[in-house]
Amino acid sequence: MFLIKNLRRISPTTSSALIGFRNTGSPPLSSRFCTTLNQPQQVQSPAPNGLDRSRYEGLAPTREGEKPRVVVLGSGWAGCRLMKGIDTSIYDVVCVSPRNHMVFTPLLASTCVGTLEFRSVAEPISRIQPAISREPGSYFFLANCSRLDADSHEVHCETLTDGLNTLKPWKFKIAYDKLVVACGAEASTFGIQGVLENAIFLREVHHAQEIRRKLLLNLMLSDTPGISNEEKQRLLHCVVVGGGPTGVEFSGELSDFIMKDVRQRYAHVKDDVHVTLIEAKDILSSFDDRLRRYAIKQLNKSGVRFVRGIVKDVKPQKLILDDGTEVPYGLLVWSTGVGPSPFVSSLDLAKAPGGRIGIDQWMRVPSVQDVFAIGDCSGYLETTGKPTLPALAQVAEREGKYLANLLNEIGKANGGRANSAKEIALGVPFVYKHLGSMATIGRYKALVDLRESKDAKGISMTGFVSWFIWRSAYLTRVISWRNRFYVAINWFTTFVFGRDISRI
Ligand SMILES: Cc1cc2nc3c(=O)[nH]c(=O)nc-3n(C[C@H](O)[C@H](O)[C@H](O)COP(=O)(O)OP(=O)(O)OC[C@H]3O[C@@H](n4cnc5c(N)ncnc54)[C@H](O)[C@@H]3O)c2cc1C
């Protein structure tokens, strides 16, 4: 839909770049688009490189007189911060992503149990960079990038229809002057059987929606007449695998929900709901011992059970640990860290440790011209001598900001076009300074560590004050005033009326 809307909005000026846009999978629509889009382009001059633009299936290379085009793959922390900072008087911006919004991930766990509403953590891209819906040469395409052809300066994409029968998947190309790969990472399953089929990840809004629906469904099913006690116990057993900040924050939210809302509204089953957190090593290993011990104590008080073990197999209703223990579950949330996506792995580019796209200190992919990579999908090449930065929003966001400024400078120095920035000095390289870590653990408590690393000197604290800092910090970090307002209202209504338990 979004793609179609965008295409319809194309003015004659823009459509000179977007021609021969053909839906190979759906002839009737294809011919309609071609007619509409090709009409204003009866008189076409060939592109400078001799390319026949009328046959280009997508956004053809930019020409003299048009702005150079920055193509951004991904609408996460890195890509959105970059788009926000790009000077749209210099560049046209084209974003390709399977979602038309950015997710404010630090507050995603709160949406799973209804502390926050889903819309409060989703920010539409067109609000982050309004030029995408206003400027004739800037677009958002709801699609996945499937291939990079760095020699021809183009990416191959495929539309996304979410399995709906609106349009068959449609392949198209986009020529870029500058390409920014910001397509994040994917949840790691370590090849454990049954994870993909039976567990729910916590990375996107639709995951949070799935978790909330399943949790409420299990609560209601467990209260139906005739259900065996064993089945009831299973349905009400919530298992979280992975003791990093996301797994711990989700467990904290869940135990808050159980202690406050389930007790009041599902009084029949309140004593049967349990949360187990399974971790192979130490929970919250990025925090120091004192903070970790505090978190474990508080979560224990909230009823969260810790199990140290390695998951070997996941069946539809139980998982099996390496020592043979069987753990029945009704809800299984998987949060064991991230690794490169199949798309990133498929790219024929030098890789950094961990399989990320290898970059230098200016975020460039050195082996190819005009390609940059930022966020979780990228890492410093070993030749830079720099360590891989953690997969964090604060890294992704600052890389996005840095690269936007760099591209703006390159554009101002007339290096915006493809292959035209070879001689331009790039200035100061990117330097990352860690600002600290925070994690909420439920019951109005949190951990705040403002040190550069867990062994450095500085401020670290726990308890209610930390929770207040955590909330204030994230409220100010929420992308827009609209969402800041939503979040504040949601927190207020949850405090006064409790969480919403309707299964919509
Ligand atoms: C629940 C949760 C809580 C978190 N809490 C914190 C926190 O408190 N503090 C913190 O610093 N970090 C936190 N993080 C980590 C942080 O969210 C990530 O490090 C950050 O999102 C990375 O940003 P990114 O832009 O690289 O990737 P992402 O934000 O993951 O965005 C990637 C984008 O690329 C798109 N994409 C994927 N494949 C393709 C493709 N083939 N073509 C085009 N587009 C594609 C995706 O749809 C998405 O839009 C949290 C993460 C999660 C999941």
Side-chain angles (χ1 to χ4, degrees):
M1 273 304 286
F2 206 88
L3 177 69
I4 295 167
K5 262 167 62 189
N6 269 330
L7 293 176
R8 286 202 177 125
R9 257 204 314 265
I10 293 167
S11 70
T13 344
T14 336
S15 49
S16 67
L18 196 140
I19 41 186
F21 211 83
R22 189 156 54 89
N23 178 3
T24 42
S26 179
L29 273 172
S30 133
S31 46
R32 207 175 74 216
F33 276 140
C34 287
T35 316
T36 323
L37 294 172
N38 284 334
Q39 266 167 355
Q41 296 135 26
Q42 304 292 330
V43 188
Q44 281 297 322
S45 58
N49 55 7
L51 177 110
D52 182 355
R53 294 165 61 87
S54 65
R55 291 185 184 278
Y56 197 89
E57 294 179 17
L59 280 176
T62 54
R63 294 183 290 194
E64 283 304 320
E66 292 174 346
K67 287 187 235 174
R69 182 185 301 139
V70 177
V71 174
V72 183
L73 305 181
S75 55
W77 278 92
C80 285
R81 185 61 190 84
L82 173 108
M83 286 189 276
K84 186 177 172 200
I86 281 282
D87 185 341
T88 52
S89 67
I90 302 175
Y91 293 103
D92 279 330
V93 182
V94 173
C95 177
V96 177
S97 177
R99 65 175 197 219
N100 73 347
H101 56 270
M102 180 198 154
V103 180
F104 192 81
T105 46
L107 296 179
L108 188 61
S110 303
T111 64
C112 301
V113 292
T115 313
L116 292 178
E117 284 310 320
F118 302 114
R119 76 163 82 167
S120 307
V121 299
E123 191 68 49
I125 292 163
S126 53
R127 293 179 71 97
I128 294 171
Q129 178 45 272
I132 285 216
S133 49
R134 260 198 326 241
E135 290 290 316
S138 294
Y139 303 97
F140 169 75
F141 296 131
L142 189 69
N144 269 310
C145 177
S146 49
R147 195 158 76 83
L148 161 64
D149 185 343
D151 292 336
S152 322
H153 271 63
E154 60 190 18
V155 285
H156 295 238
C157 306
E158 187 164 340
T159 56
L160 201 87
T161 51
D162 274 346
L164 298 176
N165 205 13
T166 38
L167 196 64
K168 282 190 184 156
W170 177 352
K171 292 189 175 162
F172 60 99
K173 295 189 288 186
I174 304 173
Y176 60 81
D177 290 295
K178 306 285 174 218
L179 175 70
V180 180
V181 187
C183 52
E186 277 195 10
S188 300
T189 64
F190 308 104
I192 299 166
Q193 260 194 358
V195 177
L196 285 175
E197 297 80 2
N198 303 305
I200 309 177
F201 300 113
L202 180 51
R203 298 199 53 77
E204 301 285 344
V205 171
H206 66 86
H207 293 141
Q209 286 169 326
E210 201 181 340
I211 291 171
R212 185 148 149 194
R213 283 177 66 77
K214 189 147 191 197
L215 183 62
L216 294 171
L217 177 72
N218 288 353
L219 278 167
M220 285 179 279
L221 285 180
S222 64
D223 207 13
T224 45
I227 192 151
S228 71
N229 197 40
E230 192 187 352
E231 193 60 355
K232 186 176 186 170
Q233 298 290 331
R234 181 188 70 75
L235 282 172
L236 296 176
H237 189 201
C238 306
V239 175
V240 182
V241 180
T246 303
V248 167
E249 289 196 339
F250 175 68
S251 305
E253 285 283 349
L254 205 52
S255 60
D256 268 2
F257 174 62
I258 293 164
M259 291 190 34
K260 291 191 198 127
D261 304 81
V262 173
R263 290 229 159 138
Q264 279 177 20
R265 299 191 183 106
Y266 291 96
H268 299 155
V269 297
K270 66 179 189 324
D271 297 327
D272 299 305
V273 192
H274 296 290
V275 182
T276 300
L277 180 59
I278 301 178
E279 167 60 52
K281 296 178 187 149
D282 291 328
I283 72 152
L284 293 174
S285 54
S286 54
F287 288 85
D288 76 18
D289 272 358
R290 185 178 68 86
L291 301 189
R292 286 182 39 241
R293 276 199 305 274
Y294 178 83
I296 292 172
K297 194 169 139 203
Q298 291 303 323
L299 286 164
N300 268 327
K301 276 192 193 168
S302 312
V304 177
R305 199 167 65 102
F306 292 97
V307 171
R308 188 180 277 236
I310 299 172
V311 178
K312 279 282 168 214
D313 195 5
V314 180
K315 306 270 184 217
Q317 299 187 349
K318 66 179 178 194
L319 57 82
I320 295 146
L321 298 179
D322 56 344
D323 63 0
T325 312
E326 296 193 351
V327 184
Y329 66 84
L331 173 73
L332 176 61
V333 175
W334 195 268
S335 171
T336 56
V338 292
S341 66
F343 168 63
V344 166
S345 303
S346 76
L347 292 174
D348 187 18
L349 300 170
K351 297 284 160 53
R356 296 171 173 207
I357 301 168
I359 54 169
D360 65 13
Q361 287 136 280
W362 291 270
M363 310 286 117
R364 291 179 302 183
V365 177
S367 53
V368 283
Q369 273 296 309
D370 298 318
V371 180
F372 302 80
I374 49 176
D376 286 1
C377 68
S378 67
Y380 287 128
L381 283 163
E382 268 174 306
T383 47
T384 63
K386 298 258 172 195
T388 301
L389 296 176
L392 286 176
Q394 55 173 311
V395 176
E397 193 189 23
R398 270 183 274 158
E399 288 183 345
K401 184 178 177 189
Y402 169 85
L403 186 55
N405 290 335
L406 181 65
L407 290 178
N408 291 343
E409 291 308 316
I410 291 174
K412 281 179 201 152
N414 289 326
R417 298 241 168 250
N419 295 313
S420 67
K422 288 177 194 159
E423 307 302 326
I424 294 174
L426 295 179
V428 187
F430 176 75
V431 179
Y432 174 69
K433 189 168 182 296
H434 189 64
L435 294 180
S437 312
M438 294 191 280
T440 170
I441 49 176
R443 297 169 75 222
Y444 305 112
K445 304 218 162 43
L447 316 176
V448 171
D449 189 345
L450 299 178
R451 295 170 295 179
E452 256 194 77
S453 74
K454 63 181 179 183
D455 305 315
K457 283 204 161 54
I459 300 169
S460 67
M461 57 184 130
T462 56
F464 178 77
V465 176
S466 302
W467 175 84
F468 189 75
I469 294 173
W470 177 86
R471 276 214 164 172
S472 313
Y474 281 125
L475 189 62
T476 55
R477 303 293 297 140
V478 171
I479 312 296
S480 67
W481 277 104
R482 185 192 75 136
N483 277 19
R484 216 164 283 156
F485 188 68
Y486 281 153
V487 169
I489 294 284
N490 288 170
W491 279 341
F492 177 73
T493 51
T494 297
F495 182 71
V496 177
F497 305 110
R499 293 171 178 83
D500 178 21
I501 54 154
S502 31
R503 186 172 180 267
I504 299 167

